[in-house]
């Protein structure tokens, strides 16, 4: 019986998924896009629009536009937030506050989650495409055991990093791209892990007029609760390790 088309193509498909393209031209294009994004952000001083003061000053006009053009406002919000995250630019907290302010605590959290997850995945894929081959060649022998250990428990580790607000969000996106975590695991752990923080900031956005500083939102009590959630996500990993040793 002759092999099916799927069986014939399977080796090629596996090779395509396990060996990503590493064309120098493609890498220069990706680097160029990052350079253009960062350069435009600095040159046009876009950071001035991503502050708590700017958001509060434009609250009425933003609400009016959202009420009049809801679908366009949602699309623009998700696109801009996604680009901000993908290019690792400042402003994630302000975008999340704006999401809650404009769309409500729960719906805003959904829009924030979609935008942040897609943007984080793009940053993750860019870092993997640009740097992972070099890291594997340069430090493969020394990092091999660490990479294997991380890959076996990648979902739990990434959930912990997302829940505990110690490391910057953009840094986790980029460093994760250098590991052997699967894309599906990365997307799921990111989407679930950012829900608590997204909801806290989106809910705070509903009381935008009473907020004078972002530090009022990320209070020690809130950060401690996130840390506890992150530690709880490590319990299954620790259990597997101790259970394996006792066996």
């Amino acid at each position: 019986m002759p092999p099916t088309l799927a069986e014939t193509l399977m080796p090629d498909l596996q090779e395509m998924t396990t060996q990503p393209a590493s064309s120098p031209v493609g890498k220069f294009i990706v680097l160029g896009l990052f350079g253009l994004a960062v350069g435009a952000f600095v040159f046009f001083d876009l950071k001035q629009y991503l502050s708590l003061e700017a958001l509060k000053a434009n609250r009425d006009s933003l609400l009016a536009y959202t009420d009049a053009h809801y679908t366009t406002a949602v699309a623009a919000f998700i696109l801009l937030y996604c680009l901000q995250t993908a290019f690792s630019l400042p402003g994630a907290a302000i975008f999340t506050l704006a999401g809650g302010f404009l769309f409500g605590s729960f719906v805003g959290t959904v829009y924030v989650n979609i935008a942040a997850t897609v943007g984080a995945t793009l940053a993750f894929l860019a870092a993997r495409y640009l740097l992972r081959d070099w890291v594997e060649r340069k430090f493969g022998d020394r990092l091999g055991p660490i990479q294997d250990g991380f890959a076996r428990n990648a979902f739990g580790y990434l959930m912990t990093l997302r829940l505990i607000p110690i490391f910057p969000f953009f840094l986790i996106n980029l460093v994760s791209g250098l590991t052997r975590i699967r894309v599906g695991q990365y997307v799921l752990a990111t989407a679930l892990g950012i829900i608590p923080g997204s909801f806290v900031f989106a809910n705070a956005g509903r009381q935008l007029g009473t907020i004078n500083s972002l530090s009022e939102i990320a209070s020690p009590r809130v950060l401690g609760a996130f840390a506890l959630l992150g530690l709880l996500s490590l319990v299954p990993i620790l259990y597997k390790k101790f259970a394996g040793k006792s066996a």
Side-chain angles (χ1 to χ4, degrees), residues 155-189:
F155 183 84
Y157 286 143
L158 187 56
M159 276 284 290
T160 301
L161 291 173
R162 291 302 192 195
L163 287 168
I164 300 179
I166 297 177
F167 302 102
F169 188 77
F170 80 93
L171 187 60
I172 299 174
N173 299 337
L174 300 178
V175 173
S176 296
L178 308 182
T179 69
R180 295 171 187 168
I181 184 174
R182 296 194 297 271
V183 176
Q185 286 182 317
Y186 177 84
V187 172
L188 184 58

Side-chain angles (χ1 to χ4, degrees), residues 90 92-93 107 111 117-118 155 168 176 195 208 212:
V107 177
Y111 294 155
T117 300
V118 173
F155 183 84
S176 296
I195 289 175
L208 185 64
N212 297 313

Side-chain angles (χ1 to χ4, degrees), residues 50-206:
L50 297 175
S51 66
L52 184 58
E53 293 74 18
L55 183 60
K56 294 170 74 170
N58 293 280
R59 57 184 297 179
D60 293 335
S61 57
L62 289 171
L63 274 176
Y65 184 85
T66 301
D67 290 340
H69 311 280
Y70 186 84
T71 302
T72 303
V74 171
F77 174 80
I78 292 177
L79 177 61
L80 291 174
Y81 198 154
C82 180
L83 291 174
Q84 175 272 324
T85 306
F87 290 113
S88 304
L89 300 172
I94 299 301
F95 268 109
T96 307
L97 281 175
F101 167 62
L102 295 173
F103 309 113
S105 301
F106 292 99
V107 177
T109 299
V110 173
Y111 294 155
V112 166
N113 191 282
I114 293 171
T117 300
V118 173
T121 302
L122 291 175
F124 163 87
L125 292 173
R128 173 163 289 185
Y129 179 67
L130 291 172
L131 296 173
R132 196 178 74 163
D133 289 346
W134 178 81
V135 170
E136 290 282 357
R137 288 195 304 268
K138 190 79 172 176
F139 307 105
D141 294 338
R142 283 172 283 178
L143 293 179
I146 299 175
Q147 288 271 39
D148 293 339
F150 185 88
R152 283 194 297 269
N153 303 291
F155 183 84
Y157 286 143
L158 187 56
M159 276 284 290
T160 301
L161 291 173
R162 291 302 192 195
L163 287 168
I164 300 179
I166 297 177
F167 302 102
F169 188 77
F170 80 93
L171 187 60
I172 299 174
N173 299 337
L174 300 178
V175 173
S176 296
L178 308 182
T179 69
R180 295 171 187 168
I181 184 174
R182 296 194 297 271
V183 176
Q185 286 182 317
Y186 177 84
V187 172
L188 184 58
T190 297
L192 293 177
I194 65 176
I195 289 175
S198 298
F199 179 76
V200 167
F201 274 80
N203 188 56
R206 299 299 293 168

Side-chain angles (χ1 to χ4, degrees), residues 38-46:
V38 174
F41 187 85
V42 174
F43 181 80
F44 293 106
D45 193 20
L46 298 181

